[in-house]
Structure formats: structure tokens, C-alpha cells
Amino acid sequence: MTTGQTEGLIGMLTVFGILVLLVLPSVIGIVRERRVDRQIREAERARREAAGSGPPAERPVAGGYFTTTVTHHS
């Protein structure tokens, strides 16, 4: 490898490392939210079963998360 190729490789690896550091907190947050949602669903299902309301009704799960931000611009 030439010096230019080595510098290019180091630059690409640096950019990739920064990208991973920026994306990692979001991925961890998504995984944690999904785990919490699953625990909430299981607790609701157990509460319904304990109350004797029959078999739990399965709620359709959305295809993913949908968030909006509403701002007023003049």
C-alpha cells in the first residue's frame, strides 16, 4: 500500500467510527423501547387473564414507530 492509500483507509475508518458513535445511541434506545413495550403488553395480558375476562385479545402491531413534529412557522 502506498502512503495515499493508507491515509485514505485511515480516513474512511475514522468516518465510519464517527458514524457508528452517532447511530449507536439511537439503536440502543429503539431496542430498549421495544423491550419496554413487550413487557407492558405481557403485563396487560396477565392482568386480563387474572381478571377472568377470557382469552386475551391480540392487538395488531403496527409496522414500526411513527412520530411527528408540529411547528408553527410564520
Side-chain angles (χ1 to χ4, degrees):
M1 285 182 89
T2 65
T3 304
Q5 291 173 331
T6 304
E7 289 177 359
L9 179 62
I10 291 170
M12 285 190 294
L13 291 175
T14 302
V15 169
F16 182 71
I18 292 170
L19 176 67
V20 168
L21 288 175
L22 290 174
V23 171
L24 189 62
S26 296
V27 172
I28 291 171
I30 290 170
V31 170
R32 183 169 183 247
E33 286 294 321
R34 291 182 70 121
R35 180 177 49 90
V36 169
D37 289 343
R38 185 177 60 244
Q39 290 174 345
I40 291 171
R41 281 194 309 270
E42 289 173 359
E44 289 175 350
R45 185 178 304 126
R47 187 180 62 194
R48 279 194 306 266
E49 289 176 357
S53 62
E58 288 295 323
R59 204 172 49 171
V61 178
Y65 292 97
F66 180 73
T67 60
T68 61
T69 303
V70 179
T71 58
H72 177 70
H73 297 281
S74 52

